[in-house]
Amino acid sequence: MGSLDTNPAAYASSFAADVDAFRPLDPDDVRSYLHKAVDFVYDYYKSVESLPVLPGVEPGYLMRLLQSAPPSSSAPFDIAMKELREAVVPGMTHWASPNFFAFFPSTNSAAAIAGELIASAMNTVGFTWQAAPAATELEVLALDWLAQLLRLPTSFMNRTAGGRGTGGGVILGTTSEAMLVTLVAARDAALRRSGSNGVAGITRLTVYAADQTHSTFFKACRLAGFDPANIRSIPTGADTDYGLDPAKLLEVMQADADAGLVPTYVCATVGTTSSNAVDPIGAVADAAARFTAWVHVDAAYAGSACICPEFRHHLDGVERVDSISMSPHKWLLTCLDCTCLYVRDTHRLTGSLETNPEYLKNHASESGEVTDLKDMQVGVGRRFRGLKLWMVMRTYGAGKLQEHIRSDVAMARTFEDLVRGDDRFEVVVPRNFALVCFRIRPRGGDGAAAEKANRELMERLNKTGKAYLAHTVIGGRFVLRFAVGSSLQEEHHVRSAWELIKKTTTDIVGEDK
Amino acid sequence: MGSLDTNPAAYASSFAADVDAFRPLDPDDVRSYLHKAVDFVYDYYKSVESLPVLPGVEPGYLMRLLQSAPPSSSAPFDIAMKELREAVVPGMTHWASPNFFAFFPSTNSAAAIAGELIASAMNTVGFTWQAAPAATELEVLALDWLAQLLRLPTSFMNRTAGGRGTGGGVILGTTSEAMLVTLVAARDAALRRSGSNGVAGITRLTVYAADQTHSTFFKACRLAGFDPANIRSIPTGADTDYGLDPAKLLEVMQADADAGLVPTYVCATVGTTSSNAVDPIGAVADAAARFTAWVHVDAAYAGSACICPEFRHHLDGVERVDSISMSPHKWLLTCLDCTCLYVRDTHRLTGSLETNPEYLKNHASESGEVTDLKDMQVGVGRRFRGLKLWMVMRTYGAGKLQEHIRSDVAMARTFEDLVRGDDRFEVVVPRNFALVCFRIRPRGGDGAAAEKANRELMERLNKTGKAYLAHTVIGGRFVLRFAVGSSLQEEHHVRSAWELIKKTTTDIVGEDK
């Protein structure tokens, strides 16, 4: 038993359910519990700014507060809410805080949360079209809407003016899953075309990505059975702002092909996690085409920016790739989880992922007129994620969504200008979107001292609870990442964070000269 | 443009956000949108019983109702809600309907939905402990609570009386992901112990499951790169009620080992999707142990029943397996998605799944004192799923949860008795949990006519909109599945469905003699 005072007896008078049959979805209870949850959410958003962004708790803290054994009898919902407030909230890292500048923000909106709530109440499992026709069709529609906002070629759309296309999309949980399922499809295609007996030829298949590519790509390759020795991480440098150099890619692919290996898959990133580097999609696609390798574009974060014409050029050449994924749960105001995967030829995906057990057979699937989304993902069960994504676009429209992106980029630009205005600092790589990578400049070329100062700056900042920044290493240098865009953030939060950074830096290295 | 009358102009007066900066998470908007969503949910639960369970819509129906292009400007949230009510709801298969008897029910509860709402508003991404300490610790606590309800051995728990254990769990999206990550861990271990050069030895690895195992297992094997020729589907029959025969398993594994192959992984199921067959876990573990093969137990559906002492024997022998997964989103009142995976040695999992990019490094991870849950799953990002699962157990307690299971089983028993009381029908396999597999009996041994009659019965029933049943094929026979347990269901719904079944059967094959 933990130390919180949550004696059920104190609430017993308000809880009479024990005398009746247990009705877990009684509509009055649902409404009552949800109203309590809504009040919590309202209070949370009103107060989160004042909470320490990064909590000062020690590992195991929660086990000391909550009981270690499950309760045997029921308790009023208020007890769970009380323990949430008193034990859980103080140990949260507040991603919703306007003072959160770490990683990438998980943006959110009123429309998305409401859509998610309704989806979790309907609780459909849309593995086949028949199992939830509207859920499947709304997902497909939302994907096509988003494809239009991104000005993707119609070859990636489920429906075109001419009817059902050969391309299409699916909403998955994470980018990792998008990578995994396309890797598997590419793997199987490469095995077939290289005349492999079963998977025997897998040892000859090779995959490629820049060294800045998210670590989850290299993990997904291992999950799909690629040989660790055949997973190529192409070095990048300041000369390409840490983007993939297509000439180097071509060279490595050609060397592999010359050695009898089978170049199978290239992952290009638009907006790397470390520094927002952008790989040149078109040139990558041209290199890969020489070897019939699959090209996937990971635009998890920065893809959202491409709904604005001024950023769309980062997707130039996308008409020549095989698949692209981006995550509205990162920067398009849609709460977790929501990763949109588009493929140019859905049959290449379903060929590797289709299952057809007896208990899921139905006329609609057999007609070939419908999409069964289970055949484009790892699992069978799936939530109704299309609803929240559709509600976001339906309610805010392209205009507000573009405004949201531009506002974040403008705030990042403001921060960048502030950094550039203080000689103690340097911006380490060009700012592409709403991430500023900066550091305290080395004095007299002392890199080790600079690293120490920057680490100390980050730790001191994060300990204040007034800001949370993460770091990365770029070109061997320890760098602070300032990611703008948490959905409650306004310019004054960015300016306050900068004041805190300046003051803390003064404590560490002294005043600007 | 679709045909629904949702002209934004009609709502313009209630929408003034355009004049201000766009605040997607304005607390007042959030509260207002959520109150509308709660009203919808309340009305939905009140009325879902009267809606056709399976909608009579044609493929593409929704594209004809909603606009095909994304809106350029914003609209009041009421428009999305109106289109939801008028276009989406009529095309839903209502899993929440008390007249839903298909597949397995996706059970739900007031506490779970409220927990999900709060999680989606906090919108944390708990990839590492530091990124969301309370989310990680509450997930770990909820898993340990559930392990206690299931009386799993302490070797599967994160925390034991003696401190941190070597085992532990993680909440994933689906059983498929649980299978995939354990398959990959088992694959890598088998490659190491067979002295494989990289993945070259993968062609020698073999995996095993009964032919009744969910199709997603065989798909997960292919995703992990196992050779399709080495994926063994062991035939089952009426002699074992379609459970895996451990003697047959041993025979097949031994033959493979004798042929120089490497038995790597066995999947045993407690409660198959088709007919709720149960593989004997202990005997399967004993067979697998001779070859050091990994044993995984898939208890997705029936695992929940094992919180009741009278069903716990189905897990006997679990102390000798390597991993077990079960899905509270199926039968433990927790909305999608929530699959709990437990492993006896977490290092075997993290050894294959760990990543360590610079931008996620932090003191807590380096201390070894914390669990970074990203290293036990496919992706990096993850929702705060532990909250809803914890809220369900905290609020209802073991007692109510057991009552819920027992009530469903009692209703299934009632239905079974009704079927047995009518000579036109037969119950095809023993009922283990809350699924009754039955069919119209063949007359004069005419199997083809019986199949036709049963198919017709299912189609006529589903067309009424008053019930939705799915089918399976068991031992070559077309069989109807009657799955009890949708969370709004009461005994009178089961009895009404039976009356409808009887009447429809009379229309097809005549009165009971």
Side-chain angles (χ1 to χ4, degrees), chain B residues 29 52 82 99 122 151 223 231 237 261 270 281 297 312 346 397 438 447 490 512:
Chain B
D29 283 347
K82 178 177 158 70
N99 302 315
M122 288 187 149
R151 287 190 285 156
L223 291 177
I231 302 172
L261 299 175
V270 174
I281 296 179
V297 174
R312 174 56 175 76
T346 53
F438 73 105
E490 299 178 22
D512 187 12

PDB file of all heavy atoms in Angstrom, chain B residues 29 52 82 99 122 151 223 231 237 261 270 281 297 312 346 397 438 447 490 512:
ATOM      1  N   ASP B  29     -11.733  26.088 -25.803  1.00  0.00           N
ATOM      2  CA  ASP B  29     -12.129  25.315 -26.987  1.00  0.00           C
ATOM      3  C   ASP B  29     -12.065  23.815 -26.702  1.00  0.00           C
ATOM      4  O   ASP B  29     -12.955  23.060 -27.087  1.00  0.00           O
ATOM      5  CB  ASP B  29     -11.198  25.620 -28.175  1.00  0.00           C
ATOM      6  CG  ASP B  29     -11.511  26.951 -28.822  1.00  0.00           C
ATOM      7  OD1 ASP B  29     -12.584  27.515 -28.526  1.00  0.00           O
ATOM      8  OD2 ASP B  29     -10.675  27.428 -29.617  1.00  0.00           O
ATOM      9  N   PRO B  52     -28.611  -0.560 -36.958  1.00  0.00           N
ATOM     10  CA  PRO B  52     -28.219  -1.830 -37.584  1.00  0.00           C
ATOM     11  C   PRO B  52     -26.768  -2.142 -37.200  1.00  0.00           C
ATOM     12  O   PRO B  52     -25.907  -1.280 -37.362  1.00  0.00           O
ATOM     13  CB  PRO B  52     -28.326  -1.545 -39.089  1.00  0.00           C
ATOM     14  CG  PRO B  52     -29.084  -0.282 -39.230  1.00  0.00           C
ATOM     15  CD  PRO B  52     -28.950   0.478 -37.954  1.00  0.00           C
ATOM     16  N   LYS B  82     -21.617  17.151 -37.172  1.00  0.00           N
ATOM     17  CA  LYS B  82     -22.815  16.887 -37.984  1.00  0.00           C
ATOM     18  C   LYS B  82     -22.500  15.826 -39.045  1.00  0.00           C
ATOM     19  O   LYS B  82     -23.277  14.892 -39.259  1.00  0.00           O
ATOM     20  CB  LYS B  82     -23.255  18.204 -38.642  1.00  0.00           C
ATOM     21  CG  LYS B  82     -24.466  18.107 -39.568  1.00  0.00           C
ATOM     22  CD  LYS B  82     -24.811  19.513 -40.073  1.00  0.00           C
ATOM     23  CE  LYS B  82     -25.616  19.524 -41.359  1.00  0.00           C
ATOM     24  NZ  LYS B  82     -26.993  19.043 -41.218  1.00  0.00           N
ATOM     25  N   ASN B  99     -25.948  -6.026 -29.700  1.00  0.00           N
ATOM     26  CA  ASN B  99     -26.317  -7.078 -30.651  1.00  0.00           C
ATOM     27  C   ASN B  99     -25.139  -7.519 -31.515  1.00  0.00           C
ATOM     28  O   ASN B  99     -25.319  -8.185 -32.536  1.00  0.00           O
ATOM     29  CB  ASN B  99     -27.464  -6.589 -31.542  1.00  0.00           C
ATOM     30  CG  ASN B  99     -28.669  -6.199 -30.718  1.00  0.00           C
ATOM     31  OD1 ASN B  99     -29.047  -6.939 -29.800  1.00  0.00           O
ATOM     32  ND2 ASN B  99     -29.259  -5.042 -30.995  1.00  0.00           N
ATOM     33  N   MET B 122      -2.656  14.666 -22.506  1.00  0.00           N
ATOM     34  CA  MET B 122      -1.271  14.844 -22.032  1.00  0.00           C
ATOM     35  C   MET B 122      -0.302  14.602 -23.184  1.00  0.00           C
ATOM     36  O   MET B 122       0.734  15.260 -23.290  1.00  0.00           O
ATOM     37  CB  MET B 122      -0.981  13.880 -20.890  1.00  0.00           C
ATOM     38  CG  MET B 122      -1.689  14.245 -19.603  1.00  0.00           C
ATOM     39  SD  MET B 122      -1.104  13.145 -18.278  1.00  0.00           S
ATOM     40  CE  MET B 122      -1.247  14.216 -16.860  1.00  0.00           C
ATOM     41  N   ARG B 151      -1.968 -14.325 -11.739  1.00  0.00           N
ATOM     42  CA  ARG B 151      -1.066 -15.209 -10.987  1.00  0.00           C
ATOM     43  C   ARG B 151       0.062 -15.732 -11.877  1.00  0.00           C
ATOM     44  O   ARG B 151       0.359 -16.926 -11.897  1.00  0.00           O
ATOM     45  CB  ARG B 151      -1.852 -16.335 -10.318  1.00  0.00           C
ATOM     46  CG  ARG B 151      -2.658 -15.778  -9.118  1.00  0.00           C
ATOM     47  CD  ARG B 151      -3.255 -16.863  -8.275  1.00  0.00           C
ATOM     48  NE  ARG B 151      -4.407 -17.444  -8.953  1.00  0.00           N
ATOM     49  CZ  ARG B 151      -4.882 -18.653  -8.744  1.00  0.00           C
ATOM     50  NH1 ARG B 151      -4.291 -19.459  -7.887  1.00  0.00           N
ATOM     51  NH2 ARG B 151      -5.946 -19.083  -9.389  1.00  0.00           N
ATOM     52  N   LEU B 223       7.459 -11.601 -41.634  1.00  0.00           N
ATOM     53  CA  LEU B 223       8.021 -10.261 -41.412  1.00  0.00           C
ATOM     54  C   LEU B 223       9.426 -10.360 -40.820  1.00  0.00           C
ATOM     55  O   LEU B 223      10.325  -9.603 -41.188  1.00  0.00           O
ATOM     56  CB  LEU B 223       7.130  -9.454 -40.453  1.00  0.00           C
ATOM     57  CG  LEU B 223       5.752  -9.029 -40.964  1.00  0.00           C
ATOM     58  CD1 LEU B 223       4.985  -8.311 -39.863  1.00  0.00           C
ATOM     59  CD2 LEU B 223       5.854  -8.132 -42.182  1.00  0.00           C
ATOM     60  N   ILE B 231       8.147 -22.677 -41.777  1.00  0.00           N
ATOM     61  CA  ILE B 231       7.098 -22.287 -40.840  1.00  0.00           C
ATOM     62  C   ILE B 231       6.113 -23.451 -40.769  1.00  0.00           C
ATOM     63  O   ILE B 231       5.382 -23.721 -41.720  1.00  0.00           O
ATOM     64  CB  ILE B 231       6.412 -20.980 -41.300  1.00  0.00           C
ATOM     65  CG1 ILE B 231       7.469 -19.856 -41.437  1.00  0.00           C
ATOM     66  CG2 ILE B 231       5.314 -20.585 -40.333  1.00  0.00           C
ATOM     67  CD1 ILE B 231       6.945 -18.572 -42.081  1.00  0.00           C
ATOM     68  N   GLY B 237      -7.061 -31.759 -34.664  1.00  0.00           N
ATOM     69  CA  GLY B 237      -8.338 -32.391 -35.001  1.00  0.00           C
ATOM     70  C   GLY B 237      -9.251 -32.466 -33.800  1.00  0.00           C
ATOM     71  O   GLY B 237      -8.929 -31.938 -32.720  1.00  0.00           O
ATOM     72  N   LEU B 261      18.099 -28.840 -39.020  1.00  0.00           N
ATOM     73  CA  LEU B 261      17.453 -27.537 -38.849  1.00  0.00           C
ATOM     74  C   LEU B 261      17.497 -27.141 -37.367  1.00  0.00           C
ATOM     75  O   LEU B 261      17.826 -27.960 -36.503  1.00  0.00           O
ATOM     76  CB  LEU B 261      16.017 -27.600 -39.382  1.00  0.00           C
ATOM     77  CG  LEU B 261      15.932 -27.942 -40.880  1.00  0.00           C
ATOM     78  CD1 LEU B 261      14.473 -28.121 -41.313  1.00  0.00           C
ATOM     79  CD2 LEU B 261      16.617 -26.867 -41.732  1.00  0.00           C
ATOM     80  N   VAL B 270      -3.884 -19.832 -26.108  1.00  0.00           N
ATOM     81  CA  VAL B 270      -4.932 -20.114 -25.118  1.00  0.00           C
ATOM     82  C   VAL B 270      -6.177 -19.379 -25.589  1.00  0.00           C
ATOM     83  O   VAL B 270      -6.295 -18.161 -25.443  1.00  0.00           O
ATOM     84  CB  VAL B 270      -4.507 -19.657 -23.708  1.00  0.00           C
ATOM     85  CG1 VAL B 270      -5.657 -19.824 -22.717  1.00  0.00           C
ATOM     86  CG2 VAL B 270      -3.294 -20.455 -23.239  1.00  0.00           C
ATOM     87  N   ILE B 281      -0.080 -25.634 -22.517  1.00  0.00           N
ATOM     88  CA  ILE B 281       1.156 -24.850 -22.402  1.00  0.00           C
ATOM     89  C   ILE B 281       2.317 -25.649 -21.820  1.00  0.00           C
ATOM     90  O   ILE B 281       3.425 -25.642 -22.356  1.00  0.00           O
ATOM     91  CB  ILE B 281       0.910 -23.621 -21.508  1.00  0.00           C
ATOM     92  CG1 ILE B 281      -0.097 -22.695 -22.164  1.00  0.00           C
ATOM     93  CG2 ILE B 281       2.210 -22.885 -21.254  1.00  0.00           C
ATOM     94  CD1 ILE B 281      -0.402 -21.473 -21.316  1.00  0.00           C
ATOM     95  N   VAL B 297       3.247 -17.703 -25.496  1.00  0.00           N
ATOM     96  CA  VAL B 297       1.824 -18.008 -25.320  1.00  0.00           C
ATOM     97  C   VAL B 297       1.005 -16.817 -25.786  1.00  0.00           C
ATOM     98  O   VAL B 297       1.169 -15.705 -25.281  1.00  0.00           O
ATOM     99  CB  VAL B 297       1.499 -18.322 -23.845  1.00  0.00           C
ATOM    100  CG1 VAL B 297       0.001 -18.485 -23.656  1.00  0.00           C
ATOM    101  CG2 VAL B 297       2.241 -19.577 -23.399  1.00  0.00           C
ATOM    102  N   ARG B 312      -7.908 -20.320 -14.416  1.00  0.00           N
ATOM    103  CA  ARG B 312      -6.459 -20.138 -14.359  1.00  0.00           C
ATOM    104  C   ARG B 312      -5.679 -21.376 -14.818  1.00  0.00           C
ATOM    105  O   ARG B 312      -4.552 -21.277 -15.303  1.00  0.00           O
ATOM    106  CB  ARG B 312      -6.056 -19.711 -12.947  1.00  0.00           C
ATOM    107  CG  ARG B 312      -4.568 -19.613 -12.677  1.00  0.00           C
ATOM    108  CD  ARG B 312      -3.867 -18.682 -13.647  1.00  0.00           C
ATOM    109  NE  ARG B 312      -2.455 -18.497 -13.319  1.00  0.00           N
ATOM    110  CZ  ARG B 312      -1.508 -19.384 -13.549  1.00  0.00           C
ATOM    111  NH1 ARG B 312      -1.819 -20.553 -14.078  1.00  0.00           N
ATOM    112  NH2 ARG B 312      -0.253 -19.105 -13.242  1.00  0.00           N
ATOM    113  N   THR B 346      14.022  -9.861 -19.822  1.00  0.00           N
ATOM    114  CA  THR B 346      13.874  -8.696 -20.705  1.00  0.00           C
ATOM    115  C   THR B 346      15.131  -8.452 -21.532  1.00  0.00           C
ATOM    116  O   THR B 346      15.057  -7.896 -22.618  1.00  0.00           O
ATOM    117  CB  THR B 346      13.564  -7.413 -19.909  1.00  0.00           C
ATOM    118  OG1 THR B 346      14.543  -7.253 -18.894  1.00  0.00           O
ATOM    119  CG2 THR B 346      12.190  -7.473 -19.284  1.00  0.00           C
ATOM    120  N   GLY B 397     -11.366  -3.002  -9.680  1.00  0.00           N
ATOM    121  CA  GLY B 397     -10.819  -4.007  -8.772  1.00  0.00           C
ATOM    122  C   GLY B 397     -10.999  -5.418  -9.310  1.00  0.00           C
ATOM    123  O   GLY B 397     -11.774  -5.661 -10.246  1.00  0.00           O
ATOM    124  N   PHE B 438     -21.531 -23.101 -33.293  1.00  0.00           N
ATOM    125  CA  PHE B 438     -22.683 -23.976 -33.517  1.00  0.00           C
ATOM    126  C   PHE B 438     -23.068 -23.941 -34.989  1.00  0.00           C
ATOM    127  O   PHE B 438     -22.591 -23.104 -35.756  1.00  0.00           O
ATOM    128  CB  PHE B 438     -23.865 -23.530 -32.643  1.00  0.00           C
ATOM    129  CG  PHE B 438     -24.515 -22.255 -33.116  1.00  0.00           C
ATOM    130  CD1 PHE B 438     -25.756 -22.263 -33.766  1.00  0.00           C
ATOM    131  CD2 PHE B 438     -23.880 -21.015 -32.943  1.00  0.00           C
ATOM    132  CE1 PHE B 438     -26.352 -21.087 -34.207  1.00  0.00           C
ATOM    133  CE2 PHE B 438     -24.473 -19.849 -33.384  1.00  0.00           C
ATOM    134  CZ  PHE B 438     -25.706 -19.875 -34.012  1.00  0.00           C
ATOM    135  N   GLY B 447     -23.752 -32.870 -46.000  1.00  0.00           N
ATOM    136  CA  GLY B 447     -22.885 -31.786 -45.564  1.00  0.00           C
ATOM    137  C   GLY B 447     -23.009 -30.544 -46.423  1.00  0.00           C
ATOM    138  O   GLY B 447     -22.995 -29.423 -45.910  1.00  0.00           O
ATOM    139  N   GLU B 490     -26.632  -7.572 -22.375  1.00  0.00           N
ATOM    140  CA  GLU B 490     -27.246  -8.213 -21.212  1.00  0.00           C
ATOM    141  C   GLU B 490     -27.920  -9.489 -21.700  1.00  0.00           C
ATOM    142  O   GLU B 490     -28.050  -9.718 -22.907  1.00  0.00           O
ATOM    143  CB  GLU B 490     -28.252  -7.253 -20.566  1.00  0.00           C
ATOM    144  CG  GLU B 490     -27.556  -5.983 -20.078  1.00  0.00           C
ATOM    145  CD  GLU B 490     -28.531  -4.974 -19.474  1.00  0.00           C
ATOM    146  OE1 GLU B 490     -29.639  -5.386 -19.043  1.00  0.00           O
ATOM    147  OE2 GLU B 490     -28.182  -3.787 -19.450  1.00  0.00           O
ATOM    148  N   ASP B 512     -38.547 -27.244 -35.857  1.00  0.00           N
ATOM    149  CA  ASP B 512     -37.949 -28.350 -35.114  1.00  0.00           C
ATOM    150  C   ASP B 512     -38.963 -29.491 -35.076  1.00  0.00           C
ATOM    151  O   ASP B 512     -40.149 -29.276 -34.880  1.00  0.00           O
ATOM    152  CB  ASP B 512     -37.652 -27.869 -33.683  1.00  0.00           C
ATOM    153  CG  ASP B 512     -36.873 -28.897 -32.896  1.00  0.00           C
ATOM    154  OD1 ASP B 512     -36.371 -29.867 -33.502  1.00  0.00           O
ATOM    155  OD2 ASP B 512     -36.759 -28.703 -31.684  1.00  0.00           O
TER     156      ASP B 512
END
